[in-house]
Amino acid sequence: MSDLALSDEILMEVDKPSRYIGHELNMVVKDAEQVDIRYAMCFPDVYEIGMSYLGIQILYDMFNRREDTWCERVYSPWPDLDSIMREQHIPLFTLESQSPVRDFDFLGITIQYEMCYTNILQVIDLSGIPIFSKDRTREHPIVIGGGPCTYNPEPIADFFDIFYIGEGEESYDLLFSLYKEYRNSDMTRKEFLIRASGIEGIYVPSLYDVSYNDDGTVKEIRPVSDRVPGKIRKVIVKDFSAAPYPLKPVVPYLRATQDRVVLEVMRGCIRGCRFCQAGMIYRPTRQKPVELVESYVDTMLKNTGYDEISISSLSTSDYEELPQLMDFLLERIEKDHIQVSLPSLRVDAFSLDVMQKVQDIHKVSLTFAPEAGSQRLRNVINKGLTEEDILQGVTQAFTGGWNKVKLYFMMGLPTETPEDVEGIPELCEKISEVYFDTVPKEKRIGSLQITASASYFVPKPFTPFQWAPMLDRATYLEHAYHARDHFRSMRNAKRMKFSYHDEDISLIEGIYARGDRRLSELVLEVYRQGGIYDAWTEFFSMKRYTDAIEKLGIDTDFYLTRERSVDELLPWDHIDCGVSKAFLKREWERAKQGMVTSNCRAACSGCGAACFTEGACPAMT
């Protein structure tokens, strides 16, 4: 182990110096001289956020199982250290060996959220790597991006050599084998990239030319060579039970956002909510056998020292073996006094019974996500949740002793009207009435609290709403103020709190989400003006963005508020996530008609994802 990259003086000067020193429990240390590939795995946000991401833990474990590879971690320096590193010309370094990132073979960046784009440039720049891929040579790392934002990576395409489309367990072995051949030959960097593009799931943006129509829409996305595929299809893990899983995850020194053992039980979602990108791009649904999940528990608790377990999936209630798993975990709760976290549960009789047991005497808030205030709008978004379901759920909850409820909504959804907005406080009022009708005065412990929050809906690629206009800023605020004022008029207003999401950050997210390659200028300009940590409200500057947008002459309405034609060539149409465009078009039309589509287990909707499983979708077997 080498000396620390930062002096004691610097570590004493910055906030939370343990973010930068490594040496955590289960950290992997190898001899750099004994491996062929050094991979710097980056989450472009602060350490506590990045250490909570399961995807990096999976790849970290998988890569380090290889004798020829050493995977190390790097995160975005907090602004205080960022400033010092620039002033003192300290290159960005990894935690394990404290080595400069620029000396690695790969810099792999997971891209979870559009508002981390400027942090990506921070990482590349502080590493001493040319920001544009076209300026890199054989002496520089291969910069590769993965994660949900790679399903439309075009606004940051100029900064990456490769994007990995899909699940990381599948194609890295082939990529690493090709890389070793490249490093041990006189193969050019371009030739390596051309050959890499032939690996399933690998997208090399520099090998595609994009042209535009006079109206600004995409005219053509064309490979530069017949050796480059015209369409890049995502890769998925077909045998989910056999996929590697980190039984010795790295344990951080300081408390991470998700500081517990994580048990991934399922990938994909059967629900088909039309606003949800994850529910589309992670199809088809795959589950792990409950016996396998149970076998992880003792090992992971022993290897980490944690006393809390979290179940991970997009919709935990849809895990078919959840009752058996919960019986197992409840035994462990009683025997070993561990805690269990259960996100993504529908509030039904079974879930409430389980939550009653795992929360013991202290009952924290129950969380509902109706997403829309009116049943009409819930049908438009295919939420699959009725007002009757919600009120029945809270009735059971209040009877069980809960008196705190959190509800999550979106505003700006397609076809939304002022009446739909009024439905948000009106639904909260009905919930409060259920409480007072259900719980006698003598059995009320504490007071009822209903907390409602609304986010600004952002249309995302590979959803039925990818063609929808985003609500303009003024109308969104008008709806938010209307909801706020309507809350104040409710009979039980004193029992309710309402908040809404920052409109400016959402607008920039919306520009990037459906943007094209021309937006790389915007990312770079904002970064050059000091923009980093744009996902954090205390660092985000709308003026920085509006100045850059004005300087570059960007038409924000083109990206935000216009409804796209279903015949328009979209910037991400050369990427294949498995869900067909024909299916998304059908769902867009059904949304406009307020028609509900059944979940995958009730009836197959022909989304196309069965193509990954030889024609039989796991949700229907």
Side-chain angles (χ1 to χ4, degrees):
M1 177 62 65
S2 62
D3 294 334
L4 294 179
L6 301 176
S7 67
D8 290 348
E9 290 77 14
I10 293 175
L11 289 171
M12 292 294 290
E13 187 176 342
V14 300
D15 184 37
K16 300 180 181 177
S18 55
R19 290 167 171 161
Y20 312 110
I21 62 176
H23 293 275
E24 306 103 318
L25 179 67
N26 297 331
M27 187 184 84
V28 176
V29 178
K30 296 187 179 184
D31 184 345
E33 300 300 321
Q34 300 300 315
V35 296
D36 299 318
I37 295 173
R38 297 188 68 187
Y39 194 109
M41 180 74 72
C42 173
F43 194 100
D45 206 319
V46 73
Y47 174 90
E48 298 94 299
I49 303 293
M51 282 295 291
S52 302
Y53 178 54
L54 177 61
I56 280 185
Q57 294 273 16
I58 290 173
L59 293 180
Y60 181 84
D61 175 77
M62 185 180 80
F63 291 169
N64 281 320
R65 292 184 190 187
R66 295 175 57 116
E67 292 185 1
D68 65 349
T69 303
W70 185 10
C71 179
E72 306 182 41
R73 292 162 299 129
V74 60
Y75 304 98
S76 284
W78 196 241
D80 56 356
L81 180 58
D82 176 278
S83 177
I84 292 172
M85 293 178 75
R86 294 177 193 277
E87 290 172 0
Q88 300 190 22
H89 305 288
I90 300 171
L92 189 61
F93 54 90
T94 58
L95 297 185
E96 278 73 5
S97 66
Q98 301 282 300
S99 300
V101 171
R102 67 187 177 211
D103 295 340
F104 281 66
D105 299 291
F106 286 88
L107 169 57
I109 303 175
T110 184
I111 317 168
Q112 293 294 306
Y113 179 40
E114 292 85 356
M115 297 310 295
C116 74
Y117 286 174
T118 51
N119 273 48
I120 290 171
L121 297 194
Q122 175 207 31
V123 167
I124 295 173
D125 193 18
L126 285 178
S127 298
I129 300 168
I131 285 180
F132 288 101
S133 62
K134 63 182 175 62
D135 296 327
R136 297 174 196 144
T137 69
R138 279 178 61 98
E139 304 308 310
H140 298 113
I142 300 296
V143 180
I144 180 169
C149 287
T150 61
Y151 286 88
N152 177 28
E154 294 306 288
I156 48 174
D158 290 342
F159 312 127
F160 282 83
D161 301 306
I162 290 173
F163 290 107
Y164 186 112
I165 313 295
E167 296 172 350
E169 295 95 335
E170 283 298 298
S171 291
Y172 266 109
D173 285 345
L174 291 173
L175 183 62
F176 285 171
S177 294
L178 175 62
Y179 181 80
K180 288 199 292 184
E181 181 184 344
Y182 161 63
R183 293 300 292 179
N184 295 315
S185 71
D186 58 0
M187 188 188 308
T188 66
R189 189 179 181 96
K190 183 174 182 179
E191 177 63 21
F192 165 76
L193 292 174
I194 290 174
R195 290 182 59 181
S197 73
I199 299 173
E200 192 170 14
I202 298 298
Y203 169 39
V204 181
S206 62
L207 301 180
Y208 295 79
D209 286 333
V210 182
S211 58
Y212 301 90
N213 296 305
D214 291 340
D215 63 359
T217 58
V218 176
K219 180 178 181 180
E220 187 180 19
I221 306 168
R222 183 175 56 84
V224 300
S225 165
D226 57 9
R227 298 171 60 193
V228 178
K231 200 146 195 166
I232 306 93
R233 187 186 187 191
K234 79 172 182 184
V235 288
I236 70 161
V237 176
K238 295 179 181 179
D239 187 353
F240 194 37
S241 299
Y245 198 75
L247 299 182
K248 292 183 69 174
V250 180
V251 180
Y253 278 129
L254 52 150
R255 188 168 183 83
T257 307
Q258 302 293 330
D259 203 23
R260 56 184 71 96
V261 164
V262 178
L263 298 176
E264 184 185 30
V265 298
M266 184 170 72
R267 284 188 191 170
C269 183
I270 66 171
R271 292 289 150 185
C273 297
R274 293 174 178 134
F275 59 84
C276 181
Q277 185 184 54
M280 297 295 168
I281 63 176
Y282 294 132
R283 291 187 177 200
T285 303
R286 289 143 291 152
Q287 301 184 125
K288 287 185 178 176
V290 68
E291 295 80 10
L292 179 62
V293 177
E294 290 172 359
S295 73
Y296 291 164
V297 172
D298 285 335
T299 302
M300 296 185 73
L301 290 173
K302 178 181 178 181
N303 287 338
T304 61
Y306 284 129
D307 61 0
E308 184 174 355
I309 294 171
S310 178
I311 309 301
S312 173
S313 75
L314 289 176
S315 179
T316 303
S317 292
D318 293 318
Y319 178 54
E320 292 179 298
E321 297 183 280
L322 184 61
Q324 182 179 335
L325 177 60
M326 289 315 307
D327 287 343
F328 171 81
L329 291 176
L330 289 170
E331 287 181 11
R332 297 303 307 270
I333 290 173
E334 186 173 344
K335 176 185 174 184
D336 299 326
H337 307 291
I338 63 170
Q339 299 178 59
V340 176
S341 174
L342 295 165
S344 306
L345 283 181
R346 292 193 306 277
V347 183
D348 53 22
F350 168 74
S351 300
L352 288 166
D353 180 59
V354 169
M355 285 186 279
Q356 177 116 5
K357 293 173 182 175
V358 302
Q359 293 185 10
D360 197 20
I361 298 172
H362 177 66
K363 292 180 172 63
V364 298
S365 298
L366 282 179
T367 300
F368 294 81
E371 310 295 0
S374 70
Q375 191 59 48
R376 184 200 74 80
L377 196 51
R378 283 193 292 274
N379 290 346
V380 168
I381 66 177
N382 205 47
K383 180 62 184 176
L385 186 68
T386 66
E387 183 174 290
E388 182 181 357
D389 295 331
I390 297 168
L391 297 181
Q392 183 177 353
V394 295
T395 299
Q396 294 168 343
F398 293 149
T399 302
W402 277 272
N403 61 4
K404 298 180 180 67
V405 178
K406 292 181 179 179
L407 299 111
Y408 293 112
F409 299 91
M410 287 184 286
M411 288 191 296
L413 289 161
T415 78
E416 182 179 87
T417 65
E419 289 72 28
D420 296 316
V421 172
E422 292 167 4
I424 295 174
E426 289 169 1
L427 179 60
C428 293
E429 177 72 7
K430 290 175 184 176
I431 291 172
S432 69
E433 291 171 352
V434 167
Y435 176 81
F436 292 114
D437 290 343
T438 302
V439 185
K441 284 186 178 180
E442 63 273 14
K443 291 188 177 181
R444 296 172 192 168
I445 301 174
S447 60
L448 172 68
Q449 295 179 27
I450 298 175
T451 303
S453 62
S455 61
Y456 194 162
F457 168 67
V458 177
K460 292 295 176 84
F462 295 107
T463 69
F465 291 161
Q466 65 182 358
W467 295 284
M470 186 171 170
L471 207 64
D472 65 83
R473 184 180 188 275
T475 308
Y476 167 75
L477 289 174
E478 181 182 313
H479 284 200
Y481 298 156
H482 185 52
R484 180 196 61 191
D485 294 343
H486 206 56
F487 264 101
R488 292 170 178 168
S489 70
M490 294 294 103
R491 179 182 176 185
N492 291 307
K494 291 183 179 180
R495 311 290 186 183
M496 305 176 196
K497 292 182 179 180
F498 173 67
S499 62
Y500 52 91
H501 195 265
D502 182 278
E503 68 277 10
D504 290 334
I505 291 179
S506 296
L507 287 168
I508 302 303
E509 178 189 348
I511 290 172
Y512 285 148
R514 293 183 295 177
D516 51 53
R517 287 197 187 183
R518 293 169 293 188
L519 290 181
S520 63
E521 293 182 316
L522 177 61
V523 182
L524 183 58
E525 179 63 25
V526 170
Y527 172 69
R528 283 175 170 164
Q529 298 306 318
I532 55 172
Y533 284 98
D534 287 333
W536 297 66
T537 53
E538 60 263 48
F539 298 117
F540 176 80
S541 166
M542 190 61 179
K543 184 178 187 306
R544 192 180 287 134
Y545 271 95
T546 53
D547 287 349
I549 286 167
E550 182 178 356
K551 176 180 178 179
L552 298 170
I554 294 171
D555 179 3
T556 56
D557 288 335
F558 175 82
Y559 294 105
L560 291 172
T561 59
R562 68 182 180 92
E563 179 174 338
R564 288 148 174 78
S565 164
V566 293
D567 298 320
E568 180 180 327
L569 184 65
L570 301 172
W572 53 89
D573 272 349
H574 54 309
I575 293 172
D576 179 5
C577 81
V579 174
S580 71
K581 198 169 184 179
F583 166 74
L584 297 176
K585 288 179 180 178
R586 289 199 305 271
E587 284 296 287
W588 177 222
E589 290 305 315
R590 291 176 68 85
K592 289 188 280 189
Q593 297 171 38
M595 298 174 65
V596 173
T597 298
S598 299
N599 74 68
C600 296
R601 289 199 186 123
C604 179
S605 57
C607 73
C611 66
F612 292 106
T613 52
E614 287 72 50
C617 184
M620 295 299 293
T621 56

